[in-house]
Amino acid sequence: MSLVDLIAGADERTLAASGLACLDRCVPLLGGEDEVLRPLWADLAEDRSWQEPLAKARAELGVGGLVEDDADHAFEAEAAELARRMLDEAPDEPSASADALRRWADACSDAALRIHRLLDPAADEESSVTDCREGRTDGPPLVAAELRRQIAVLELVTAHGTGGLRQVLEVSTEGRRVLRAVVSRRARGRSV
């Protein structure tokens, strides 16, 4: 099944986990600490409202980041803007309507893949995020790895429900480390 098909067939909890996992992996672009979204994960696992921790995360991630908005940092600035939209557009409740969660999860999936494409030095003009999401190609290495993580998240929550969230967190932690390393490497490359 393609990523698009998995999102189309997912239930509300799976969609909320999928969107949150994409956002969690991209937190380094917003200058956030690794644990900034942990309360949202806890609320998702307990079927509680995440309105308060979401507001707190938005406030905490509202300023700063690993990138500056100038010509030398154009790709990183665009990537950070995509990550910010994921956060800004998050539904106030993980139990929002399936349609609202599906739109958010789909937008987060697309944004996370675009972020990885922007930051992947091996990406070429012909690699398409849409083609990757529809299963027609794997894409460049960073995009292919992010695609695998997104599919893993959807499959874990679909198969195990709340019980799969611990494994989803592990997948997101690995992805966050990868993205943080990529951004750091790009910054070091510019300073040489």
Side-chain angles (χ1 to χ4, degrees):
M1 266 191 165
S2 73
L3 180 60
V4 171
D5 294 332
L6 288 169
I7 291 172
D11 64 14
E12 288 88 343
R13 180 188 312 273
T14 305
L15 293 167
S18 175
L20 184 55
C22 288
L23 175 58
D24 197 9
R25 287 190 297 276
C26 295
V27 160
L29 294 166
L30 301 175
E33 296 296 322
D34 286 349
E35 302 298 315
V36 70
L37 299 179
R38 184 65 73 155
L40 280 82
W41 285 109
D43 287 349
L44 180 60
E46 298 293 326
D47 285 325
R48 294 187 307 240
S49 168
W50 68 15
Q51 189 169 9
E52 187 176 317
L54 180 60
K56 185 176 178 186
R58 284 176 174 151
E60 195 170 318
L61 297 171
V63 180
L66 294 179
V67 296
E68 300 167 22
D69 192 7
D70 63 31
D72 291 337
H73 301 89
F75 290 132
E76 290 91 341
E78 185 177 347
E81 179 56 33
L82 287 166
R84 174 132 346 268
R85 269 191 248 147
M86 281 191 251
L87 179 62
D88 291 345
E89 294 173 5
D92 287 336
E93 298 294 335
S95 59
S97 75
D99 287 341
L101 285 167
R102 196 170 324 282
R103 280 191 303 274
W104 181 60
D106 192 59
C108 288
S109 166
D110 185 71
L113 287 166
R114 288 183 188 285
I115 287 167
H116 284 77
R117 186 179 180 285
L118 283 167
L119 300 177
D120 193 330
D124 58 28
E125 292 298 318
E126 294 183 21
S127 62
S128 163
V129 167
T130 301
D131 288 344
C132 293
R133 293 182 78 233
E134 293 176 354
R136 292 193 295 262
T137 182
D138 288 338
L142 278 178
V143 174
E146 173 61 14
L147 180 67
R148 286 190 301 273
R149 283 188 284 273
Q150 288 187 25
I151 289 170
V153 165
L154 289 159
E155 289 175 343
L156 284 166
V157 182
T158 297
H160 305 289
T162 304
L165 291 179
R166 181 174 299 279
Q167 292 169 289
V168 167
L169 275 170
E170 291 171 10
V171 169
S172 285
T173 298
E174 175 212 357
R176 191 171 52 244
R177 285 184 190 134
V178 168
L179 190 63
R180 193 177 299 280
V182 167
V183 172
S184 178
R185 199 173 7 215
R186 288 177 67 97
R188 280 193 312 270
R190 279 192 307 273
S191 66
V192 173

